[in-house]
Amino acid sequence: MKDSIIILSGGMDSTTLLYDYQERIALAISFDYGSNHNAKEIPFAKYHCEQLGIKHLVIPLKFMGEYFRSSLLSGDEAIPEGHYASENMKSTVVPFRNGIMLAVATGMAESNDLQYVMMANHGGDHTIYPDCRPEFVDAFDKTAQAGTFNGVRLLSPYCNMTKGQIAARGKELGIDYSKTWSCYRGGDKHCGKCGTCVERKEALADAGIDDPTEYED
């Protein structure tokens, strides 16, 4: 039964979730919020939806790029190098990004008579992203239920999984990760050095997947 809407970036995690729960997903939404890598991610999101015959919408949130402070919105040179666990990676946080996107997705779910909103946050996000943590997921789930006539729920199946475990699930599903984007710099190739590139490399290695990504280095 098609009862869900998914927030789909075009990255590894949300693409895996798309394939994993394709039988339940009626609508996929990508948000263009002015990040360095939106233009690289969104075409992949569209591609995978086309492969699965799932309706895909792109919703503009350009005000975030104009008014919010984050290195993710400030050009590729502002993106720090290093692992997600590093203190300098906090500069990539876009304040309350998931909260804003989930609010829109919840309204879309109610408008389309859908019961669930899905997002692909995972355990590795918890270190620096407050709106990826389990307590946020639980709180937003309650908020969505209370604020909609049909009691929309938030589903976060990967919340306590590692990115490596998600990649392993993608391997089982036969996902081509060369058709996903991770790099925060959004260049012609993955930089190989920013937090998301480092995490991507580690996850693919953990899952025993030959890395199909073309890196600058």
Side-chain angles (χ1 to χ4, degrees):
M1 181 179 177
K2 300 281 188 177
D3 61 2
S4 302
I5 185 170
I6 184 174
I7 296 177
L8 180 66
S9 69
M12 287 179 60
D13 309 318
S14 62
T15 299
T16 305
L17 188 63
L18 179 75
Y19 279 84
D20 208 357
Y21 287 83
Q22 59 184 283
E23 294 182 358
R24 293 182 59 175
I25 297 171
L27 176 63
I29 296 180
S30 299
F31 292 98
D32 185 356
Y33 61 100
S35 75
N36 301 329
H37 61 306
N38 267 162
K40 305 295 292 189
E41 286 184 315
I42 291 175
F44 285 127
K46 179 181 179 181
Y47 166 83
H48 289 291
C49 286
E50 289 175 346
Q51 296 301 302
L52 298 176
I54 293 173
K55 184 178 180 180
H56 177 243
L57 296 177
V58 179
I59 296 180
L61 295 177
K62 291 296 181 66
F63 71 90
M64 295 173 70
E66 293 177 16
Y67 299 114
F68 287 19
R69 182 182 300 173
S70 169
S71 62
L72 199 59
L73 306 170
S74 301
D76 62 340
E77 293 181 357
I79 299 297
E81 296 179 0
H83 197 277
Y84 261 150
S86 302
E87 184 70 17
N88 66 344
M89 289 307 295
K90 288 184 177 180
S91 75
T92 64
V93 173
V94 179
F96 209 60
R97 176 182 62 179
N98 284 346
I100 293 166
M101 294 179 178
L102 285 168
V104 175
T106 299
M108 289 291 292
E110 184 171 18
S111 297
N112 288 274
D113 296 319
L114 298 172
Q115 194 64 49
Y116 300 97
V117 173
M118 294 184 177
M119 77 168 181
N121 61 308
H122 61 82
D125 294 329
H126 300 172
T127 305
I128 59 172
Y129 296 112
D131 56 0
C132 288
R133 295 170 184 162
E135 54 267 37
F136 171 82
V137 172
D138 291 342
F140 196 94
D141 177 43
K142 292 182 175 65
T143 299
Q145 287 183 75
T148 53
F149 282 117
N150 62 332
V152 174
R153 300 291 307 270
L154 172 59
L155 294 182
S156 175
Y158 298 161
C159 188
N160 293 308
M161 293 172 62
T162 66
K163 196 178 185 78
Q165 289 171 327
I166 295 172
R169 178 60 181 148
K171 183 179 181 180
E172 294 173 356
L173 294 166
I175 296 173
D176 180 3
Y177 283 127
S178 71
K179 292 182 171 60
T180 62
W181 186 267
S182 298
C183 183
Y184 273 171
R185 289 183 172 169
D188 292 334
K189 301 177 183 178
H190 284 71
C191 74
K193 298 177 181 179
C194 70
T196 48
C197 281
V198 172
E199 187 187 46
R200 180 185 179 97
K201 291 178 180 180
E202 292 178 346
L204 292 170
D206 288 346
I209 299 172
D210 290 334
D211 193 343
T213 313
E214 190 173 3
Y215 298 102
E216 290 179 357
D217 59 352

